[in-house]
Amino acid sequence: MYGKPHPPVVGFLFLWTTMRQTTLKGVEDILPADIHRWQFLEQQADEVFSRCGYQQIRIPIIEPAQLFVRSIGEQTDIVEKEMYSFTDRGERQICLRPEATASVVRAYLQHQFDGQGGCAQFYYYGPMFRGERPQAGRQRQFHQVGVEAIGSYSPLLDADVVMTALRYIECLGLRRYRLQLNSVGCPEDKTNYAQQLRDFLSGQRSGLCESCVSRLERNVLRVLDCKNSACRQIIASAPHIEHAHCAQCREHFAAVQEMLRSQKAEFEINPYLVRGLDYYTRTVFEIPHGQLGAQNAICAGGRYDNLVAELGGSPAGAVGFAFGMERLLIALESESTAISEKTRPLVYVAGLGVVAMRAVFSIVQEIRAQGVAAVFSYEERSLKSHLKRADKLKANHAVIIGEEELASGTILVRDMRRSIQQSIPSSLLRSALEI
Ligand SMILES: [Zn+2]
Ligand SMILES: [Zn+2]
């Protein structure tokens, strides 16, 4: 009715040279058709984690790069190869967060949660960034949902955090998962074990892949994560970390297992599970899923007793985990878990002709003010086209107003499901729509 404006001249001149822009490699849009799956993961997290004593925290996407170098460890794949870091206009080293644990601990210290007594328990969800080679379940912008509990050295905390992860999985409806558990011991045990492992592997150096030879000197525990089949064979006869545990660490790990058994939580001990990040101490765990294989666990976590002190606080025990949300969605799909789309009643209001369309505008505002969803067309359409649109939007009712209705003060209300319509006085609209 109001005619299209002329295209801008610049747009016309560059018509042949402008390309449509697309997302970066490894970065994806989440479209409206999929949003209910994501909201399902988030709503279950809100429900389950708050039931387990956690409060939501929203941490920034960007942080000083040093935060992650200090916490994750300089000689890890994340810091060496995968972090998105850059120098900003103020010459500061900035990093897109590759994970949330370090940020949550930073926030815990910055806002003095350490002085409040008891355990501080946070949960979060949101995007993380790592420059990996994109593949199924691994994107450069990926999403995690997780918890961090800071302020206790008790094995009850380890067990409760693991139970929280299992409760979340159960509430999502997943069945084909396994829980793998190990303990990497305290830093002294870790150092002792690293020496034992280095001694053992040095004798097998010629059989190791190139990366593992360099890991020998720099971060020998990471050899245990190698996917190379020759390396895996050598690893299979490597000494187990449990033999390097001190008495307290052995006792701690036994207590964690006992608490999990008391809840009939099934788990297996994986002696080679050490996790690639420097900050883990004592309990570590992963939850692989049948669909994704061992290298792409849907959940990973553990205890990190030294991180708080490492980031400038007084020492405090802490345990946390993170789920990969893309991986959870793959797992859910493979188990054909139904995620229902939440729908709410919708009214489509159709105006036939310029004058009726203005009346429609007011009616829509009135319906919305009553708390009911209502939409209309901004452009003129035929009645048939209006009804097609109402059908596509899954509207429960269509309200139709033409010149005739305007003149007689009536409206046509069509029940879209039953395809029946009736003419009523416009004053009865609210009762016809049951609002
Ligand atoms: Zn120990
Ligand atoms: Zn290797």
Side-chain angles (χ1 to χ4, degrees):
M1 71 178 134
Y2 296 109
K4 280 186 191 165
H6 292 292
V9 178
V10 176
F12 178 75
L13 286 176
F14 286 90
L15 195 62
W16 300 103
T17 51
T18 40
M19 294 260 288
R20 287 196 185 194
Q21 299 295 307
T22 55
T23 51
L24 295 164
K25 198 176 170 197
V27 174
E28 283 181 350
D29 296 312
I30 300 171
L31 299 174
D34 290 321
I35 214 74
H36 66 288
R37 299 174 207 282
W38 292 83
Q39 287 173 342
F40 173 69
L41 296 182
E42 292 165 1
Q43 284 157 3
Q44 292 297 319
D46 292 336
E47 159 56 27
V48 174
F49 298 151
S50 58
R51 204 194 306 165
C52 298
Y54 294 83
Q55 290 182 304
Q56 192 181 150
I57 187 167
R58 299 194 183 192
I59 44 183
I61 303 272
I62 55 171
E63 295 274 9
Q66 198 54 28
L67 174 66
F68 302 110
V69 177
R70 277 196 78 83
S71 58
I72 296 171
E74 223 154 332
Q75 284 156 4
T76 54
D77 278 0
I78 296 181
V79 170
E80 281 184 340
K81 305 184 215 158
E82 297 169 357
M83 278 206 317
Y84 272 105
S85 33
F86 58 95
T87 310
D88 75 355
R89 287 167 203 270
E91 297 296 311
R92 288 166 290 249
Q93 281 297 308
I94 307 287
C95 183
L96 300 183
R97 61 185 190 196
E99 53 120 54
T101 305
S103 299
V104 173
V105 172
R106 190 227 2 96
Y108 163 87
L109 291 171
Q110 187 173 338
H111 305 286
Q112 281 109 38
F113 282 93
D114 50 342
Q116 297 177 12
C119 201
Q121 292 172 274
F122 308 98
Y123 78 90
Y124 61 84
Y125 37 74
M128 311 290 161
F129 303 84
R130 291 184 201 173
E132 294 187 285
R133 202 157 49 85
Q135 48 177 293
R138 274 182 200 261
Q139 296 291 326
R140 289 180 177 166
Q141 176 177 329
F142 60 104
H143 298 76
Q144 286 188 335
V145 50
V147 312
E148 312 293 347
I150 310 168
S152 173
Y153 293 96
S154 165
L156 291 174
L157 176 60
D158 308 52
D160 199 34
V161 168
V162 172
M163 289 306 296
T164 301
L166 296 181
R167 202 167 298 288
Y168 183 56
I169 296 181
E170 292 288 325
C171 287
L172 294 180
L174 288 175
R175 296 284 173 268
R176 288 172 48 210
Y177 64 89
R178 301 195 318 271
L179 169 61
Q180 297 194 334
L181 213 59
N182 195 22
S183 169
V184 294
C186 54
E188 296 76 49
D189 301 349
K190 236 173 152 178
T191 312
N192 291 339
Y193 178 63
Q195 193 52 50
Q196 285 177 23
L197 192 60
R198 201 174 290 119
D199 291 345
F200 168 80
L201 291 172
S202 297
Q204 315 265 352
R205 187 184 280 264
S206 58
L208 292 171
C209 76
E210 215 173 288
S211 334
C212 283
V213 171
S214 85
R215 285 172 185 149
L216 261 186
E217 301 309 322
R218 291 151 19 87
N219 188 350
V220 69
L221 294 186
R222 296 236 34 247
V223 172
L224 300 180
D225 293 335
C226 187
K227 294 163 192 146
N228 181 299
S229 59
C231 295
R232 294 240 57 91
Q233 256 184 345
I234 294 173
I235 293 161
S237 53
H240 289 182
I241 198 164
E242 61 173 323
H243 303 303
H245 287 166
C246 67
Q248 290 95 317
C249 286
R250 217 171 313 150
E251 206 177 295
H252 184 97
F253 193 35
V256 174
Q257 294 179 55
E258 193 191 317
M259 298 322 296
L260 291 176
R261 278 194 206 99
S262 79
Q263 295 306 306
K264 311 253 178 311
E266 281 177 36
F267 60 87
E268 55 200 60
I269 305 290
N270 175 353
Y272 302 116
L273 179 66
V274 292
R275 314 276 310 120
L277 283 59
D278 275 5
Y279 56 60
Y280 284 111
T281 52
R282 295 194 161 168
T283 314
V284 288
F285 64 96
E286 280 192 359
I287 304 180
H289 183 270
Q291 184 65 23
L292 287 138
Q295 301 298 341
N296 286 313
I298 52 173
C299 176
R303 179 170 272 286
Y304 49 92
D305 288 342
N306 296 320
L307 188 53
V308 177
E310 187 71 30
L311 296 179
S314 349
V319 189
F321 63 71
F323 281 86
M325 295 174 82
E326 281 80 0
R327 294 179 190 182
L328 278 177
L329 291 178
I330 293 173
L332 282 166
E333 195 163 341
S334 77
E335 294 198 24
S336 318
T337 312
I339 303 172
S340 56
E341 252 176 284
K342 265 198 202 148
T343 53
R344 57 181 298 171
L346 176 70
V347 182
Y348 182 97
V349 190
L352 301 168
V354 176
V355 186
M357 284 174 74
R358 295 198 155 211
V360 161
F361 177 83
S362 301
I363 290 171
V364 165
Q365 307 308 321
E366 196 190 314
I367 297 173
R368 289 176 184 166
Q370 301 299 326
V372 174
V375 292
F376 67 108
S377 170
Y378 305 111
E379 306 295 334
E380 279 196 87
R381 288 170 183 265
S382 65
L383 179 61
K384 198 175 153 199
S385 157
H386 273 304
L387 291 178
K388 227 169 132 181
R389 182 86 188 136
D391 203 43
K392 192 166 180 226
L393 294 171
K394 301 193 176 85
N396 307 55
H397 290 96
V399 173
I400 302 153
I401 301 164
E403 279 172 29
E404 209 176 293
E405 283 73 25
L406 278 179
S408 61
T410 58
I411 46 172
L412 270 177
V413 177
R414 182 180 177 88
D415 184 322
M416 293 299 290
R417 303 271 152 77
R418 292 187 288 170
S419 295
I420 46 172
Q421 61 189 41
Q422 50 169 339
S423 173
I424 58 167
S426 44
S427 57
L428 296 181
L429 173 64
R430 281 174 67 170
S431 60
L433 298 177
E434 290 146 21
I435 53 180

